Amino acid sequence: MDQGFFLLFATVSVITALTVVLARNPVHSALALMACFLHISAIFVLLEAPLLAVIQIFVYVGAIMVLFLFVIMMIDMREAVLQRFLPGGNLPALALLCLLGIEMLVLVLWSDRISATAPVATRDGDDVRQLGTTLFADYLLPFEVASVILLAALVGAIVLARKEWE
Amino acid sequence: MIPLSWSILLGVVLFVIGAAGVLLRRNILVVLMSLELLLNSVNINFIAFGRYYADFRGQIFAIFVIAITAAEVAVALGILVALVRNKSTLKVDDVTMMKG
């Protein structure tokens, strides 16, 4: 049951990811990326991380994709839309990509734990509660640093996107 | 139960697709979207290994990756808006103001 759902969501997310890269119109790319993120969040649910699935939907589908669509709306897309995607146009990059994919596949498939199914350890109790405790106790400093980074990004985005001031 | 290797293979496939978008596409918006795809495929690996070893650190790092990604996208799109206002192009190859 789990495996069937995983295969379904993985197939759809790979197809939509290919659509992101291959689509000519950036709006189509953005919508395909949204579908891809939704299916990846479903995979997070299957991987027993429901909190991450909800965060994924909130942040990626809710915030980042709306940001992308707003920027697409703000700038004039007409000339950019007209360029075609040429996979053979950049041969060194294509060769590098094939090498990367083959290398990672070989490394994964040669691993002696490739057939391992059951986790080596199981956890019990309230997952989200334990996750929150770990995040706010052991990882408090990185959490605060992340919030400072978000504040800096907020200020930076406003300063970068405003009109030229004299 | 989902085997660990399935999630890793999904992460590999999505990573290669995202890298293809970054390296082969010439539209800045699509390059940024492919970057999101790359970071998301890494998140899948974090969560899969976190489940395999029953360790919360995988999920915590995934949360931090998502937060940093949000910051990165905000700054990148701000730069993009400023760029389009100054130079009116969306092609990566046209942006050579810094002689890169």
Side-chain angles (χ1 to χ4, degrees), chain B residues 14-29:
Chain B
L14 286 181
F15 192 91
V16 171
I17 292 173
V22 171
L23 289 175
L24 297 176
R25 287 302 299 257
R26 297 271 68 92
N27 188 325
I28 298 177
L29 273 166

Side-chain angles (χ1 to χ4, degrees), chain A:
Chain A
M1 188 70 178
D2 271 8
Q3 298 188 349
F5 272 120
F6 184 89
L7 284 181
L8 174 69
F9 292 138
T11 314
V12 176
S13 63
V14 167
I15 290 171
T16 47
L18 279 173
T19 314
V20 172
V21 175
L22 294 175
R24 284 181 61 194
N25 192 333
V27 179
H28 298 166
S29 288
L31 293 176
L33 191 62
M34 197 183 278
C36 186
F37 285 159
L38 277 173
H39 287 91
I40 290 177
S41 78
I43 285 172
F44 287 173
V45 173
L46 289 180
L47 291 176
E48 295 166 13
L51 183 69
L52 257 294
V54 173
I55 290 177
Q56 167 102 354
I57 291 179
F58 279 178
V59 175
Y60 277 109
V61 183
I64 292 181
M65 293 322 297
V66 169
L67 207 61
F68 266 111
L69 290 174
F70 256 100
V71 170
I72 290 173
M73 193 182 74
M74 277 167 61
I75 58 188
D76 188 13
M77 297 302 301
R78 268 166 293 183
E79 40 192 316
V81 165
L82 290 179
Q83 56 137 349
R84 257 188 194 287
F85 173 65
L86 291 175
N90 195 344
L91 217 53
L94 207 60
L96 198 69
L97 277 174
C98 291
L99 200 68
L100 180 77
I102 291 170
E103 183 198 354
M104 288 200 288
L105 282 179
V106 164
L107 284 179
V108 171
L109 293 177
W110 267 3
S111 158
D112 52 347
R113 292 206 205 142
I114 181 72
S115 51
T117 302
V120 293
T122 53
R123 47 178 188 236
D124 49 346
D126 196 346
D127 271 3
V128 177
R129 182 187 299 270
Q130 290 178 28
L131 178 67
T133 311
T134 316
L135 181 62
F136 289 115
D138 299 344
Y139 289 86
L140 186 61
L141 182 66
F143 187 82
E144 298 291 340
V145 172
S147 61
V148 172
I149 289 175
L150 278 173
L151 179 67
L154 182 70
V155 176
I158 292 172
V159 169
L160 282 168
R162 69 192 279 190
K163 284 203 162 56
E164 293 290 324
W165 66 91
E166 298 299 330

Side-chain angles (χ1 to χ4, degrees), chain B residues 95-100:
Chain B
V95 187
T96 53
M97 280 170 278
M98 296 180 80
K99 313 291 180 206

